[in-house]
Amino acid sequence: LAPKTKIHPGLRLSQLNVCEQNSNAANLWGPGISLYFDRWLHLDVSAFADFQAQNFGADTVQAVVAADTYSDYFGRGQRKWGNPYIGGGIGWIRHKNADHLVVAINLGVEIFKSERILLDLSLRTSALLLGGMPRAALEPGLGLNVAF
């Protein structure tokens, strides 16, 4: 019986830019964990802090379940290097003491992909709904997942 990868747990580093009402953007950075089952299903949980305010606690916490797909025209995700993908997600974010529904569009590229390692660069564009004034957010991120 040959071993088969069931899940790729991993770490993420993201920057979260939230457009605020006063036309300023909250610029937050933070680590996260990722549970990557396959490109069609993954869970990302992140905690963000505002380092410009010298506050090193988590100001914002986010959890998003996402589903992405590869393009048949760009290798169907079978290449070792440079697999682009697009998709969407839904989740929850606690930002400035208010809970919001997150509806997201994901764009990304798997920089390197093997059976045991996945290095991923992504960009998530989100709408933060409910919980007060709607906001838009932009989240570039870098993730490293390993086989389990």
Side-chain angles (χ1 to χ4, degrees):
L1 296 172
K4 184 175 179 183
T5 303
K6 308 273 190 286
I7 187 171
H8 285 86
L11 300 174
R12 293 178 44 82
L13 178 62
S14 299
Q15 177 190 21
L16 182 66
N17 297 290
V18 180
C19 297
E20 300 293 346
Q21 297 173 8
N22 57 5
S23 75
N24 292 330
N27 184 2
L28 309 168
W29 287 85
I33 59 170
S34 177
L35 296 176
Y36 175 87
F37 298 96
D38 204 343
R39 181 51 53 203
W40 55 267
L41 179 63
H42 54 99
L43 169 67
D44 300 323
V45 178
S46 301
F48 299 96
D50 185 353
F51 292 108
Q52 292 174 341
Q54 296 184 358
N55 178 8
F56 299 105
D59 296 316
T60 300
V61 178
Q62 173 180 259
V64 175
V65 175
D68 304 316
T69 187
Y70 299 108
S71 169
D72 287 349
Y73 296 106
F74 295 105
R76 295 185 191 115
Q78 301 300 313
R79 298 184 299 201
K80 197 169 220 168
W81 299 91
N83 289 305
Y85 62 86
I86 187 170
I90 191 163
W92 162 86
I93 189 169
R94 176 123 178 122
H95 177 66
K96 294 198 172 180
N97 296 320
D99 295 317
H100 300 275
L101 172 69
V102 175
V103 178
I105 297 172
N106 303 323
L107 297 171
V109 63
E110 294 172 343
I111 298 170
F112 176 77
K113 177 181 173 181
S114 71
E115 184 180 342
R116 294 190 176 109
I117 294 175
L118 173 64
L119 181 62
D120 180 69
L121 185 62
S122 63
L123 178 65
R124 178 177 290 145
T125 304
S126 303
L128 281 54
L129 307 172
L130 309 176
M133 184 71 157
R135 295 177 167 95
L138 192 62
E139 180 190 349
L142 179 67
L144 177 64
N145 296 69
V146 295
F148 180 77

